[in-house]
Amino acid sequence: REFIPSQWLAHVEVWKSLLKNLKIHALIRNLANLSQDNILGPANWDVVNYVVETLRNGTLLKTSRVHPLELLIAARVYGGGRIQQPRGLKEWEVVSQVVDALDDGVYESIPNVDPTHKQYFIAIDASGSMQSPFGPAPGFSCREAAVALAMILQKVEPHTLTLGFTEGDHIKVIPISPKQRLNDAMRTFQEMIKPQGTDISLPFQYAIKNGMGTDVFVILTDSETWAGKQHPQQAFDEYRNKYNRKAKCVIVSMAANNVTVGDPNDAGVLQAVGFDASLMQVMRQFVMGEF
């Protein structure tokens, strides 16, 4: 595709030839372009059918190592019908069958993710500020992006507990089922949402209080934290000293606000900002001690 002059890419005949040999990752990246040029739409149902069948092809998703996060983000970006770019606003007509196929592809591709078989404790910030837009993926709030990541982790890792928290004593297990879809998981999470501050030490304190054995803490937050009497790193150190010295912590910040919750000099702490399809692979390498 990169070798073809841009003006030719507005022609359906060119794209029909390209699609036969276009890798699925490239197809996912070009869905908006195809719709913007009216190539992917009611005027060309053969193109729509080809794209939908490709996105739902479990064998192809597996051999191409398509990550569920890649499809999930693509579903939200494409389904939004617009995206702000440096050159201005880009808009397109959304084809609902393509959105449904991307959504189905998320669950088809989950078996492509290799589990670590570790015990995970996932804690999602349920404060009001998490409703703010999530920059890397238009159409997501920080909260929805966090629940989406937690849902996929819970589907991949069999030994996972997910909680929501804010401050004080507001921390509670969220009964997210591995069989749920994102919209259902969000509804399950709704009751946890409170217009309160964020105490990121709470998940560690909860684990200490309940004597929980955990290999990996995953904290999903926008890092707007000022509540609590104990620094999160101190609470994590206390947990390791009492229960598991080899425990690790991954803090995924849903917003870039110049706040570092974990100790950057602690080899057992990984701090990430935002996410894309590579995040879970980076997390896996960290958890397995590969870097």
Side-chain angles (χ1 to χ4, degrees):
R1 191 196 75 85
E2 288 76 9
F3 287 92
I4 298 175
S6 298
Q7 66 270 23
W8 293 0
L9 291 173
H11 296 279
V12 64
E13 294 84 1
V14 174
W15 270 106
K16 284 184 177 180
S17 296
L18 279 173
L19 286 172
K20 297 174 183 177
N21 295 293
L22 198 66
K23 300 295 184 182
I24 189 169
H25 297 281
L27 173 61
I28 293 169
R29 291 194 301 269
N30 280 282
L31 291 173
N33 293 329
L34 287 166
S35 287
Q36 187 180 44
D37 293 332
N38 297 316
I39 294 164
L40 185 59
N44 298 294
W45 282 116
D46 55 338
V47 176
V48 173
N49 291 336
Y50 176 84
V51 169
V52 167
E53 290 173 6
T54 300
L55 295 174
R56 286 191 170 127
N57 187 326
T59 301
L60 180 60
L61 292 172
K62 182 177 181 179
T63 56
S64 301
R65 303 294 295 176
V66 178
H67 197 282
L69 274 181
E70 180 180 358
L71 292 161
L72 184 62
I73 293 171
R76 281 310 168 100
V77 173
Y78 177 77
R82 56 167 54 191
I83 186 171
Q84 187 65 44
Q85 295 185 325
R87 296 181 180 180
L89 186 65
K90 179 177 180 178
E91 298 180 284
W92 58 88
E93 290 292 330
V94 176
V95 180
S96 60
Q97 292 90 338
V98 174
V99 177
D100 290 341
L102 284 167
D103 187 56
D104 290 341
V106 172
Y107 304 95
E108 284 283 349
S109 61
I110 284 175
N112 300 345
V113 183
D114 296 324
T116 63
H117 300 291
K118 302 290 186 180
Q119 295 184 47
Y120 281 75
F121 183 114
I122 303 174
I124 304 174
D125 181 350
S127 63
S129 62
M130 285 284 284
Q131 186 56 33
S132 58
F134 179 64
F140 274 112
S141 66
C142 291
R143 178 181 299 134
E144 192 170 20
V147 172
L149 183 58
M151 181 193 72
I152 292 175
L153 272 171
Q154 184 137 338
K155 289 177 182 290
V156 172
E157 300 291 351
H159 308 296
T160 299
L161 179 67
T162 301
L163 294 92
F165 73 96
T166 55
E167 62 176 321
D169 60 354
H170 193 67
I171 182 166
K172 183 179 178 182
V173 174
I174 305 171
I176 296 177
S177 165
K179 295 182 180 180
Q180 279 182 302
R181 297 242 170 173
L182 178 57
N183 289 340
D184 292 333
M186 281 298 299
R187 282 192 288 269
T188 302
F189 186 68
Q190 289 299 319
E191 64 182 55
M192 282 300 306
I193 299 168
K194 299 289 183 182
Q196 297 178 326
T198 304
D199 181 0
I200 298 180
S201 69
L202 271 186
F204 306 109
Q205 293 172 3
Y206 182 95
I208 293 169
K209 180 180 178 180
N210 291 279
M212 295 174 56
T214 296
D215 298 312
V216 186
F217 289 90
V218 180
I219 313 296
L220 306 172
T221 177
D222 59 359
S223 295
E224 292 191 11
T225 175
W226 59 87
K229 298 180 180 180
Q230 188 178 31
H231 190 280
Q233 182 67 40
Q234 293 176 326
F236 179 45
D237 289 340
E238 182 180 347
Y239 176 84
R240 286 190 292 193
N241 289 334
K242 287 186 176 181
Y243 292 103
N244 183 0
R245 290 189 176 275
K246 295 182 179 180
K248 295 188 176 183
C249 179
V250 179
I251 301 170
V252 183
S253 297
M254 298 290 129
N257 54 19
N258 298 319
V259 175
T260 301
V261 177
D263 182 356
N265 296 314
D266 188 334
V269 177
L270 174 67
Q271 180 108 24
V273 179
F275 71 67
D276 60 17
S278 67
L279 174 61
M280 288 186 67
Q281 179 60 28
V282 172
M283 288 173 57
R284 186 183 193 282
Q285 291 176 315
F286 171 70
V287 169
M288 299 303 289
E290 295 176 7
F291 68 81

